[in-house]
Structures are given as structure tokens and as C-alpha cells.
Amino acid sequence: MDVAARELLPEPEPHRVLGTGAEPDPDTWPELYRQLVRGRRYNTQATALTRQGRLAVYPSSTGQEACQVAAALALEPRDWLFPSYRDTLATVVRGLDPVAALGLLRGDWHTGYDPRALRVAPLCTPLATQLPHAVGLAHAARLCGDDVVALALVGDGGTSEGDFHEALNFAAVWRAPVVFLVQNNGYAISVPLAKQSAAPTLAHKAVGYGMPGRLVDGNDAPAVLAVVREALARARAGGGPTLIEALTYRLDAHTNADDAGRYRREAEVAAWRARDPLTLLGDELRHHGLLDEEFETKAREEAEALAAALRAGLGADPRLDPADLFAHVFAAPTPQLRAQAASLGVTLG
């Protein structure tokens, strides 16, 4: 690990897991790499679409794809994912249609997909407000006897919100089967972590709520997968919640509307670019003979197919129905809602 990266690793730690320390798993590590290749292409294509005006905004996860890929792959089909606005890649790895995942960021829908179909909650733009929802769902599942765990993703900036603290407190008190994964990419937009928290690590915050804290190298995809799986298994077995801090870095700007050069140096970005999760995993797989030219070619071809689908889907004009404004508001339309619909010539059933 280079000096710049090491300086961002705070001391002392409650629990540290930096690297798997295990032999490569031929059943999972190549799939992690394949998804990282697709994820990188997904990010670059979505970013390009914002420049073309096909997306209103895109918060890229380039550089922190390992966190999202590993988190999504760790889940069982019956589990729930609660993403934030930067976690579109996690929803795609979960199985969500890539175009539908960007419906919110295009301005077409509040969500753009059925959350129940793949158990992916709506992408959450307000910071950390999805966390209490994750706790509530997990607690309800436990009361019903359902074997379900909720995985809630949040950035380091979200840990400064009241919703974060409320969610962790209730999760610990109720021993809810929920896992909180904090992707600490160093900045809450332009505010560095040192100006948000004086705690040695964000993982330390778990101690105050009575749950385990885990600190993991967020650029090591196998390590993230192992730590998240362990936390999910613990929650499923009745052990309660876990707080995981994944140390990573956002290589791109906060969004396409951000000028990252105003608050961070290029030397810092270059140091973290040398720890690119895609490069790290690829080098490790090649070293162990688990990655050949045929597999890499196929992964790149799949990634290009994904990018082509994004271009086609977001290049077409959306087919919007005014009646959609009134769908999913109430189980039964209220008189006020019917009057509003009638003003647009829409008749509600």
C-alpha cells in the first residue's frame, strides 16, 4: 500500500480486515472481476451520457466499484438492498435493468423500477434516510419469522446525518438483521472526513451502539465480499446488526456538476488510481493463473454490450404517461387526487 493511501487509514482500529489473507477462490474471484469490468464500463458510459444531456446528473462510483459489486454479490435473493444515489452499480449487479436503474437520474421517475421485484429499495438521494427504512424492514421480517437480511449502503457523508445514528441505535436495540456498509471515499462532496468526525475510524462508532464494527480495504473486492458475507450470516443467525467501513476512493468528481480540483490535489487522485480495484484484482488473478485472455475478452465484450444497451435505452425519448403521476401515491385515490387527475384529463380507476 502506498504512503498516500496509508495516511487515510486511521489509527487505532476496533477491528481491521485489510485484504483477505486467503488463497484465491476460483468460484467467486473471476466473477468479481467480470462484474468489476462491467461496472467500470457502466460508470464511464453513464458519465458520457450526462455530457450528451441524456442524464440530468450522474454520481459516478469509479474507483469504488469493488464495494458495490461485492456487496450486491454477497446478498441472497431473499435479502433486501437499500442503496444511496451513488449505488446504481450495486442495483445493476443485483439484477436491475441498467436503464431502469437510471430513471431517477434522468428525471423520468421517482424510482423507475418495482422495488419488490428484486428487493431493491428506491435509490435514495437525501443522505442516510434509507437507513431507518432498512432497519424497519429488517425488524419486521424478524417479527414475521422471515429469513431476510437488509443491507444498507451509505457514504461517509451520510454518517453525519441524524438518520444514521437513529438507524444504528434502533437496529442494535432491536437486534435487527441489518448490515450497514459505509463506503468511505474520503469526501462528503468537498468536505474531507477529518472535518466530519474526530473518531479514529467510522467503524469505531459501532461500539457506542453495541454492535460489531469492521474496517475493510474497500478496493479489495474479495475482502469486502468476505466481510459482508460474514456480517450477513451473523445477522441471519440472530446476532444482530454490524457496521462495516470500507476504505475506498472516488476517482471521479462528486457528480458531473462538481469541480473536484477545487478541494483535492491531483497527486492524491494519482496515488489512489494506482490502487484501482479492477487493476488490483486482475493482477492477483493473473498471478494465480485464474485469468486468461479469453476470459478478459469475454468480460470486455459483455461490458461493451452493457454500454450499448445504455446508449440505446437512454438515447430514445421516454414514453411518459400523465397518469403515472398519480400511480403509487395512495392505495385508493383520494378525492383531491381525483380532482388533480381530472384537471389533466386523467380518469383514475
Side-chain angles (χ1 to χ4, degrees):
M1 183 176 297
D2 55 82
V3 175
R6 193 181 305 113
E7 288 176 350
L8 288 180
L9 304 181
E11 294 284 353
E13 69 282 357
H15 300 278
R16 172 167 292 184
V17 183
L18 290 173
T20 60
E23 287 298 313
D25 182 355
D27 294 328
T28 60
W29 287 27
E31 176 62 13
L32 282 172
Y33 181 80
R34 185 181 76 88
Q35 293 288 359
L36 285 175
V37 172
R38 294 177 77 247
R40 179 59 54 83
R41 189 66 184 91
Y42 176 83
N43 274 314
T44 57
Q45 184 61 73
T47 299
L49 289 168
T50 62
R51 300 192 182 104
Q52 300 167 14
R54 294 298 180 177
L55 283 174
V57 66
Y58 184 67
S60 173
S61 59
T62 295
Q64 57 188 86
E65 294 101 336
C67 297
Q68 300 196 20
V69 166
L73 291 180
L75 291 167
E76 297 289 340
R78 61 189 181 278
D79 295 331
W80 273 83
L81 175 68
F82 284 78
S84 72
Y85 60 89
R86 196 179 300 280
D87 300 321
T88 48
L89 175 56
T91 70
V92 172
V93 176
R94 179 73 167 154
L96 191 64
D97 176 76
V99 175
L102 296 172
L104 169 69
L105 300 174
R106 193 185 192 192
D108 293 346
W109 282 83
H110 288 301
T111 300
Y113 54 87
D114 179 3
R116 297 182 185 86
L118 292 169
R119 300 200 165 194
V120 176
L123 288 162
C124 187
T125 301
L127 294 186
T129 55
Q130 76 275 21
L131 304 187
H133 297 168
V135 175
L137 182 142
H139 180 55
R142 182 168 174 263
L143 292 177
C144 292
D146 293 338
D147 186 22
V148 169
V149 180
L151 175 61
L153 307 183
V154 67
D156 50 292
T159 66
S160 297
E161 297 290 327
D163 297 84
F164 172 82
H165 302 282
E166 293 160 9
L168 265 67
N169 189 60
F170 277 118
V173 170
W174 290 337
R175 295 184 65 80
V178 59
V179 175
F180 303 96
L181 176 59
V182 179
Q183 298 172 76
N184 179 3
N185 63 22
Y187 293 91
I189 305 182
S190 60
V191 180
L193 182 63
K195 292 186 177 181
Q196 291 187 72
S197 174
T201 72
L202 295 175
H204 272 80
K205 294 180 182 291
V207 177
Y209 297 104
M211 68 177 71
R214 296 289 185 265
L215 186 64
V216 63
D217 182 352
N219 285 14
D220 184 337
V224 178
L225 180 65
V227 171
V228 174
R229 277 181 170 173
E230 186 254 349
L232 291 171
R234 179 179 179 275
R236 205 182 307 279
T242 300
L243 174 64
I244 302 171
E245 177 187 1
L247 291 161
T248 184
Y249 195 80
R250 166 173 55 80
L251 292 174
D252 287 346
H254 175 68
T255 69
N256 52 294
D258 175 41
D259 179 8
R262 299 180 63 182
Y263 55 83
R264 66 185 192 185
R265 296 167 298 153
E266 181 55 36
E268 176 183 298
V269 180
W272 278 93
R273 198 177 297 279
R275 300 199 65 255
D276 186 316
L278 180 56
T279 303
L280 291 178
L281 184 57
D283 289 346
E284 186 73 8
L285 287 173
R286 292 185 195 94
H287 175 72
H288 290 278
L290 294 176
L291 186 61
D292 56 27
E293 184 176 347
E294 181 181 357
F295 187 90
E296 288 192 80
T297 299
K298 184 177 180 180
R300 286 194 296 269
E301 289 174 348
E302 289 180 1
E304 288 304 322
L306 172 63
L310 279 181
R311 291 193 299 271
L314 294 171
D317 291 331
R319 299 171 61 183
L320 304 179
D321 184 349
D324 290 339
L325 289 170
F326 310 97
H328 313 299
V329 180
F330 294 101
T334 64
Q336 294 87 348
L337 204 63
R338 291 184 183 280
Q340 293 171 16
S343 69
L344 292 178
V346 174
T347 301
L348 300 183

